[in-house]
């Protein structure tokens, strides 16, 4: 990708799905952007995630953003000019316990207000529609318009489309410091300094360090969800599959791609480190994952796992991201810490951030995500405990 | 340390010699090997009810094979030997193993990896046709099962194993149609000054070639293989360019191919060991000191899994690594013994660099694999698709190219397509081979059944 040390309207720090789509949508609005990425575009959380384009079960007040994002997903191939393997095959969450029904029924009612269509399916209905499901499942919550995509392709697709539209994207270029002097920010990298009146921090799990350096500390934990993939099998699991449960050790998910491999994850996250280029998979957790995915699809017991991996993700104490402008410095914007949801909402986040930067306001509510909520440390402890 | 827990992976010549020294020091290491019987690759033992003698099985190496087998059998009840057990991951000072449908974590204070090597392959048009085997597979069917890969066999590739396997087939009554070597005679002569470090091996090699010629086997050097002919049910021939540049076709029903070996270094990778690029063999190999210590404090590496030095070299390396391990645990060491082993080791290294010079991996041929040829067998990806991921999607190195193209994402996890994909990626970028890097190891090192359950009694 092209190399230049220079000046723009906006500098984006970090080229995951959030930074790359922000660059893409800013270019759509005619804004001059430079994106600086420490390694390669989409190599961190955005390229290693499970690939779930799921809205159901997410934080309710995030649904307007999630819906906006889902709309972009539906047009992503024409927007980016790349086939990122988005498949709106639906998302089914299975229940192991009758008691959980009340939880998903309430969520169904609440989500309906945000326009998310969900169907609660009983014991027979799930077996008829999803014959692969194991005997323990008692019901399911079906979201017909969710789906999945290939994470390895999405952020690069946005970046390439942004470049074709005139964005400057610089890989292997780590941002070392950001300083505001007068109207402009000076962004320091080993390849020289870049200047712009606006800076967006979209550095994923590293975002908290960058925000802290700007005087706005947030409580962020870095973790690595654990992922695996099987050898190719006949295509028999069409929707994305998950679990609705109160037991953390029962959280498991899987999806199959048409070429046959089943990608799975869940059960336990493992600590990840920011100073390592990639999060390591912990084989000690594999047996439990395999047990849980066999509850979902017992036929899998005859298949084989061929690879495992993990990725570096940032989780805020209240499990929702930091998005919006800085509380302290004019021209500084944040979009990081997507708490395991950022792949689905990523394209929407890029669109909203571009709108916010270009127009000063957003048509989609994002107030809940503003960094000012962490100003009072006593409050975050409360939210964290809840 | 009172009773250190030591785990050895691999019961070939390197693992056997290492275990022997540890047992002699009064320790009881765990020895893990995925094969049903000890012996490793070269001294692979047939199933117990097979009756061919050591001489029939191992030819000139019968004496060494017998010695390795006898050594192992003598200490077998003094080690915790786990046969048919795969080591599939290493993390946090534990080896994760699988046997049939159970898995187990084995904690260690020191780990000695001696997992050997596998064939290094070059994708060739038609190489996925039934009847096309690696040299190693061709040899294993003969050694372990007493079967041949076909009646009319062409062996293609380069390296001593190419001639050895052809010779073993001839001795077993299946004289190959031809041996096609990509290395030219002139190239082979260039390796001589280094190969004289082990004259006995040099003579053995020359004898094998002349025996093949006397047996009516065509031996052609300096060739460029073009295509394995046939259809989806069988191989019917081999098309290649001879040294003079003329295209030729040979009729055959099977092809055995291999370009020397590649170290099975995934476990070392998972253990966190540093790697370095070795230009002579154009491979990334784990960093070791002159004893076999890796960059990780309690991980030791020996045998073909870290440097391809052959079976005798593997025995020496196994001994040295065991001595290093014992010395690091506080055992006294015999300096004179170490010095003589290291001197022997230097001879093997010299010889191996001669071999690498004489039978080089023909990297220009690899880089020029036609676009339509399948480079990744598991995922059915062509060289053209790999190049497109480099050129259209800007992949500076193989892991990025893997993410875009899926080359190396299948069952073999890049063990077989990795070396070729490095060459193709580097060439497509117009960059030196080092810049293409190597496909990172990810657990499990071989596919693992999902229905497995965990054994908790021992860990
Ligand atoms: C294993 C795993 C599974 C997941 N599964 C899902 C899922 O199924 N569905 C879903 O919606 N979400 C999922 N997520 C979450 C989702 O992947 C993330 O929320 C999302 O990718 C975040 O995107 P991002 O662009 O903010 O961060 P990232 O993709 O991490 O990008 C941040 C970028 O900033 C760069 N950077 C950091 N510091 C600097 C610096 N100093 N200078 C320059 N660049 C810098 C990094 O190199 C990185 O490329 C998962 C996450 C993981 C790890
Ligand atoms: C196919 C092939 C054929 C060869 N033929 C010849 C020949 O004819 N003559 C010759 O001189 N040299 C030959 N060589 C080279 C020779 O085999 C080696 O130099 C020698 O065997 C190296 O000894 P080693 O102990 O390092 O490894 P090996 O003898 O290869 O032993 C390694 C052992 O580790 C085990 N292992 C590997 N990975 C794992 C794992 N993850 N979990 C559990 N166990 C594992 C294997 O089952 C094997 O038994 C051949 C090599 C190969 C690959």
């Amino acid at each position: 990708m092209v190399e230049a040390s220079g000046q723009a309207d906006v500098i984006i720090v970090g080229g995951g799905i959030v930074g790359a789509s922000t660059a893409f949508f800013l270019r759509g609005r005619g804004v001059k952007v430079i994106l600086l990425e420490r390694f390669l575009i989409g190599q961190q959380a955005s390229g290693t995630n499970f690939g779930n384009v799921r809205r159901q079960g997410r934080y309710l007040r995030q649904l307007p953003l999630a819906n906006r994002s889902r709309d972009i997903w539906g047009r992503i191939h024409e927007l980016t000019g790349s086939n990122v393997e988005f498949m709106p095959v639906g998302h089914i969450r299975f229940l192991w316990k009758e008691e959980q029904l009340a939880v998903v029924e309430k969520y169904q009612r609440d989500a309906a207000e945000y326009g998310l269509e969900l169907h609660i399916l009983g014991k027979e209905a799930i077996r008829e529609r999803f014959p692969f499901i194991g005997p323990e499942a008692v019901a399911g919550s079906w979201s017909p318009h969710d789906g999945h995509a290939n994470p390895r392709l999405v952020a690069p697709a946005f970046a390439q489309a942004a470049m074709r539209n005139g964005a400057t994207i610089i890989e292997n270029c780590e941002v070392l410091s950001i300083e505001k002097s007068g109207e402009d920010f000076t962004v320091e990298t080993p390849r020289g300094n870049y200047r712009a009146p606006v800076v967006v921090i979209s550095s994923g799990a590293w975002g908290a360090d960058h925000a802290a350096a700007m005087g706005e500390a947030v409580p962020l934990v870095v973790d690595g969800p654990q992922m695996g993939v099987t050898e190719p099998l006949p295509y028999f699991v069409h929707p994305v599959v998950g679990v609705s449960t109160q037991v953390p050790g029962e959280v498991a998910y899987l999806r199959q791609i048409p070429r046959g491999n089943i990608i799975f994850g869940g059960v336990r996250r493992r600590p990840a480190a920011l100073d390592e280029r990639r999060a390591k998979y912990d084989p000690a957790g594999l047996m439990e994952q395999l047990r849980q995915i066999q509850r979902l699809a017992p036929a899998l017991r005859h298949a084989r796992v061929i690879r495992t991996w993990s990725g570096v993700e940032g989780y805020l104490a209240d499990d929702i991201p930091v998005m919006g402008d800085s509380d302290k410095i004019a021209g500084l914007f944040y979009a990081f810490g997507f708490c395991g949801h950022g792949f689905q909402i990523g394209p929407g986040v890029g669109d909203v951030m571009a709108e916010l930067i270009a127009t000063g306001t957003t048509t989609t509510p994002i107030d809940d995500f503003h960094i000012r909520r962490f100003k009072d440390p006593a409050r975050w402890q409360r939210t964290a405990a809840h | 340390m009172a009773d250190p827990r030591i785990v050895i992976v691999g019961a070939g010549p390197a693992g056997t010699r290492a275990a022997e020294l540890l047992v002699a020091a009064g320790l009881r290491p765990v020895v893990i090997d995925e094969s049903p019987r000890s012996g490793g690759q070269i001294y692979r033992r047939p199933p117990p009810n097979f009756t061919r003698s050591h001489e029939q099985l191992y030819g000139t190496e019968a004496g060494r094979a017998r010695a390795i087998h006898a050594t192992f059998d003598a200490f077998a009840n003094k080690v915790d030997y786990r046969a048919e057990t795969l080591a599939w991951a290493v993390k946090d000072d534990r080896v994760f193993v699988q046997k049939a449908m159970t898995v187990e974590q084995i904690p260690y204070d020191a780990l000695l990896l001696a997992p050997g090597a596998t064939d290094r392959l070059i994708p060739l048009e038609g190489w996925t046709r039934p009847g096309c085997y690696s040299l190693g597979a061709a040899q294993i069917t003969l050694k372990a099962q007493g079967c041949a890969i076909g009646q009319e066999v062409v062996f293609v590739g380069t390296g001593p194993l190419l001639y050895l396997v052809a010779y073993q087939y001839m001795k077993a009554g299946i004289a190959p149609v031809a041996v096609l070597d990509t290395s030219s005679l002139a190239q082979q002569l260039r390796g001589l000054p280094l190969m004289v470090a082990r004259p006995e091996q040099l003579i053995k090699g020359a004898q094998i070639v002349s025996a093949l010629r006397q047996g009516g086997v065509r031996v052609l050097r300096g060739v460029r293989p073009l295509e394995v002919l046939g259809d989806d049910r069988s191989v019917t021939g081999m098309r290649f360019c001879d040294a003079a540049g003329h295209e030729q076709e040979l009729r055959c029903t099977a092809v055995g191919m291999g370009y020397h070996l590649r170290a099975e270094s995934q476990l070392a990778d998972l253990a966190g060991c540093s790697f370095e690029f070795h230009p002579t063999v154009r491979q990334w190999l784990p960093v070791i000191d002159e004893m076999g210590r890796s960059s990780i404090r309690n991980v030791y590496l020996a045998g073909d899994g870290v440097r391809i030095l052959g079976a005798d070299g593997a025995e020496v390396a196994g001994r040295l690594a065991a001595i290093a391990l014992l010395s690091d645990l506080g055992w006294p060491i015999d300096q004179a013994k170490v010095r003589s082993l290291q001197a022997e080791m230097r001879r093997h290294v010299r010889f191996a660099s001669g071999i690498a010079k004489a039978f080089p991996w023909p990297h220009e041929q690899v880089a020029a694999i036609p676009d339509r040829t399948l480079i990744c067998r598991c995922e059915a990806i062509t060289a053209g698709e790999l190049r497109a991921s480099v050129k259209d999607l800007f992949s500076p190195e193989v892991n990025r190219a893997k993410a875009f193209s899926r080359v190396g994402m299948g069952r073999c996890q890049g063990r077989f397509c990795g070396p070729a994909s490095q060459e193709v990626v580097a060439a497509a970028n117009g960059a030196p081979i080092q810049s293409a890097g190597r496909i990172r190891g990810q657990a499990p090192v071989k596919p693992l059944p999902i229905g497995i359950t965990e054994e908790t009694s021992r860990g």
Side-chain angles (χ1 to χ4, degrees):
Chain A
M1 293 186 186
V2 205
E3 198 180 316
S5 152
Q7 175 101 23
D9 300 329
V10 178
I11 289 173
I12 299 172
V13 179
I17 190 170
V18 170
S21 63
T22 302
F24 173 79
F25 287 109
L26 279 171
R27 276 313 299 150
R29 293 172 181 272
V31 177
K32 189 173 179 208
V33 291
I34 297 175
L35 186 157
L36 305 174
E37 163 54 47
R38 180 162 63 138
F39 300 129
L40 299 178
I41 294 291
Q43 228 179 5
Q44 296 293 342
S46 299
T48 56
N49 68 66
F50 171 65
N52 211 347
V53 180
R54 154 170 87 92
R55 287 169 298 168
Q56 76 158 324
R58 306 291 201 201
Y59 178 61
L60 282 166
R61 293 165 59 118
Q62 192 172 289
L63 285 179
L65 179 59
N67 291 341
R68 180 164 173 174
S69 199
R70 173 61 183 82
D71 175 59
I72 297 169
W73 278 108
R75 296 181 288 128
I76 197 159
H77 297 180
E78 40 182 300
L79 280 175
T80 62
S82 302
N83 178 2
V84 300
E85 300 170 15
F86 173 60
M87 297 181 66
V89 287
H91 180 270
I92 177 77
R93 297 186 99 186
F94 290 110
L95 279 59
W96 303 132
K97 289 205 180 72
E98 298 281 355
E99 301 90 88
Q100 190 67 10
L101 256 177
V103 177
V104 293
E105 282 168 355
K106 177 169 183 338
Y107 189 84
Q108 180 197 29
R109 284 192 302 275
D110 295 343
E113 298 193 10
Y114 293 92
L116 178 63
E117 170 192 345
L118 298 174
H119 304 267
I120 308 297
L121 306 177
K123 236 183 190 144
E124 283 74 42
I126 53 173
R127 294 210 155 69
E128 199 176 300
R129 293 187 64 160
F130 311 110
F132 57 82
I133 183 62
E136 291 174 77
V138 295
S141 170
W142 170 237
S143 176
H145 305 299
D146 287 346
H148 58 101
N150 185 340
R152 298 189 305 276
L153 306 181
V154 181
F158 273 117
Q160 295 219 345
M163 274 202 305
R164 281 196 301 271
N165 295 348
T168 301
I169 297 202
I170 304 172
E171 297 184 303
N172 297 309
C173 184
E174 179 174 11
V175 170
L176 302 172
S177 75
I178 304 167
E179 254 163 56
K180 185 148 187 190
S181 42
E183 287 296 292
D184 274 1
F185 291 91
T186 302
V187 178
E188 183 202 351
T189 80
R191 300 181 168 202
N193 291 347
Y194 295 85
R195 293 171 70 81
V198 173
V199 165
V200 184
I201 307 282
S202 54
S203 47
W206 293 265
D209 287 352
H210 293 143
M214 305 310 284
E216 294 178 282
V218 297
L220 179 142
V221 172
V222 181
D223 255 344
Q226 307 280 298
M227 312 298 304
V229 63
T230 70
E231 63 195 334
L233 307 166
Y235 189 34
F236 75 110
V237 179
H238 298 170
V240 183
V241 178
V243 176
S244 177
T245 173
Q246 303 299 319
V247 183
E250 283 185 342
V251 175
Y253 38 89
L254 56 92
R255 69 182 177 104
Q256 189 172 21
I257 54 173
R259 74 176 308 285
N261 308 73
I262 291 187
I263 298 124
F264 61 86
V267 183
R268 242 174 309 175
R269 305 198 294 247
R270 300 279 160 162
L274 289 180
D275 56 355
E276 283 177 11
R277 186 157 173 168
R278 54 191 63 80
K280 292 202 180 72
Y281 181 87
D282 185 355
L286 180 62
M287 291 311 111
E288 197 44 43
Q289 282 187 312
L290 297 183
R291 233 188 317 274
Q292 295 300 332
I293 64 165
Q294 287 177 83
R295 290 174 84 186
L296 290 167
L300 285 181
R301 71 182 309 268
H302 305 293
R304 281 162 190 267
V305 178
I306 59 173
R307 179 174 62 252
T308 57
W309 70 95
S310 182
V312 184
E313 176 67 335
Y315 296 84
L316 275 309
D318 52 3
D319 235 17
I320 52 175
V322 171
M323 259 180 91
D325 57 349
S326 154
D327 209 29
K328 289 200 161 154
I329 303 172
L332 181 63
F333 291 83
Y334 295 117
F336 68 85
F338 283 92
C339 310
H341 313 163
F343 187 61
Q344 192 279 327
I345 57 171
V349 173
D351 193 19
V352 167
M353 292 307 292
E355 186 191 12
L356 177 64
I357 291 164
T359 70
T361 177
T362 70
T363 45
T364 304
I366 56 166
D367 270 4
D368 285 9
F369 313 131
H370 201 276
I371 197 162
R372 75 173 79 83
R373 73 184 190 275
F374 294 119
K375 241 162 79 176
D376 165 17
R379 223 189 107 210
W380 356 307
Q381 260 117 40
R382 253 199 333 276
T383 15
H386 136 95
Chain B
M1 212 170 284
D3 200 2
R5 298 162 305 174
I6 294 160
V7 175
I8 299 175
V9 178
T16 299
R17 290 301 175 202
E20 180 188 21
L21 288 191
L22 296 175
V23 168
L27 298 169
R28 185 183 166 82
V30 177
V31 179
I32 297 164
D33 198 297
E34 62 179 323
S35 304
R37 307 187 68 193
S38 74
Q41 205 58 261
I42 172 167
Y43 308 131
R44 177 181 296 275
R45 299 202 229 190
N49 53 337
F50 280 42
T51 50
R52 285 189 301 159
S53 70
H54 273 73
E55 279 68 22
Q56 284 168 305
L57 278 167
Y58 309 109
T60 53
E61 307 306 305
R64 285 194 168 263
R66 196 176 280 116
I68 282 286
H69 295 161
T71 302
F72 195 93
D73 294 344
F75 67 58
N77 61 352
K78 296 186 184 126
V79 300
D80 181 356
Y81 173 41
R82 316 282 188 93
E84 294 183 296
T85 301
L86 170 74
W88 57 272
V90 177
K91 187 155 197 299
D92 300 336
D93 291 346
R94 283 160 188 270
V95 182
F96 294 76
V97 300
Q98 171 229 347
K99 178 168 191 175
M101 291 307 274
T102 59
V103 295
E104 190 185 334
Q105 300 179 29
I106 307 178
Y108 60 80
D109 298 304
L111 173 65
L112 197 153
L113 297 173
T118 50
D119 297 278
R120 183 146 71 143
L121 302 179
I122 295 180
L124 177 65
E125 191 63 23
W127 70 310
T128 55
R129 297 192 201 291
C132 208
Y133 293 78
S134 71
L135 283 177
Q139 190 187 47
I140 289 167
T141 49
L142 191 65
K143 239 187 239 180
Q145 301 295 330
C147 298
I149 59 171
Q151 279 298 323
E152 299 160 48
V153 187
V154 166
F155 288 106
V156 58
T158 196
L161 197 56
L162 177 69
Y163 296 90
L164 180 66
V165 177
Y167 176 73
Q168 288 167 337
Y169 266 62
M170 188 177 82
K171 295 277 281 187
I174 313 136
V177 176
V179 173
L180 307 180
D181 190 338
T182 52
S183 168
S184 65
L185 187 59
Q187 186 66 48
Q188 291 176 21
L189 295 177
R190 257 171 257 154
L192 273 181
L194 290 161
M195 289 196 286
V196 294
R198 296 182 69 200
E200 74 295 352
Q201 290 295 322
L202 201 54
I203 291 165
K204 213 190 278 174
Q207 285 168 343
I208 284 177
V209 177
S210 80
L212 282 168
R213 285 236 159 86
Q214 272 163 24
V217 178
R218 291 179 66 185
V219 176
L220 297 177
R221 295 186 172 99
V223 307
R224 187 157 55 86
L226 295 173
E227 185 177 1
V228 178
L229 303 167
D231 51 36
D232 10 335
R233 280 188 294 157
S234 61
V235 165
T236 57
M238 176 80 202
R239 198 162 64 81
F240 64 96
C241 226
D242 64 23
H246 301 301
E247 237 181 84
Q248 291 199 31
E249 259 181 49
L250 288 171
R251 283 179 49 81
C252 62
T253 56
V255 170
M257 57 163 83
Y259 295 79
H260 216 52
L261 302 173
R262 53 159 287 285
E264 283 281 278
S265 53
Q266 310 96 281
L267 287 171
D269 198 2
L270 291 175
C273 299
S274 302
F275 280 61
E276 65 193 352
F277 185 75
H278 288 245
T280 45
V281 290
R282 288 175 85 87
Q283 289 186 50
W284 288 86
L285 296 170
V287 175
I288 45 170
D289 72 2
E290 69 286 5
M291 297 295 287
R293 292 182 183 89
S294 76
S295 64
I296 299 289
R297 178 189 52 85
N298 57 352
V299 178
Y300 303 80
L301 309 172
D304 272 10
V306 60
R307 296 287 180 274
I308 313 282
L309 300 177
D312 303 349
E315 289 188 44
V316 182
R319 288 188 168 112
L320 280 170
I323 292 172
L325 189 161
L326 285 169
S327 135
D328 293 349
L329 288 173
W331 260 259
I333 59 166
D334 176 348
Q335 290 296 353
K337 173 109 186 267
V338 168
R339 272 194 301 278
S340 87
L341 285 170
Q342 282 179 339
E344 210 177 321
M345 198 64 175
R346 280 191 289 276
R347 223 158 44 81
H348 288 293
V349 170
R350 212 174 140 70
F351 180 74
S353 56
I355 293 272
K357 201 165 217 160
F359 305 100
W361 158 253
H363 60 89
E364 301 91 347
Q365 290 187 18
V366 190
I369 297 171
D371 275 348
R372 64 173 189 282
T373 301
L374 279 186
I375 190 163
C376 171
R377 291 186 296 189
C378 305
E379 297 288 309
I381 316 284
T382 64
E385 290 170 284
L386 177 61
R387 291 192 181 103
S389 79
V390 173
K391 291 193 169 134
D392 305 342
L393 296 166
F394 312 103
S395 301
E397 51 87 50
V398 283
N399 294 288
R400 185 68 161 181
K402 166 181 159 186
F404 289 141
S405 69
R406 310 190 62 87
V407 168
M409 274 203 175
R411 287 181 65 100
C412 93
Q413 287 293 293
R415 288 162 64 231
F416 296 102
C417 56
S421 85
Q422 287 164 15
E423 300 288 353
V424 169
V425 167
N429 275 314
I433 180 73
Q434 296 91 306
S435 70
R438 63 192 174 90
I439 292 183
R440 278 188 300 276
Q442 282 168 287
V445 301
K446 288 184 187 161
L448 206 59
I450 288 180
I452 44 179
T453 50
E454 191 147 19
E455 180 106 12
T456 42
S457 55
R458 294 196 232 222

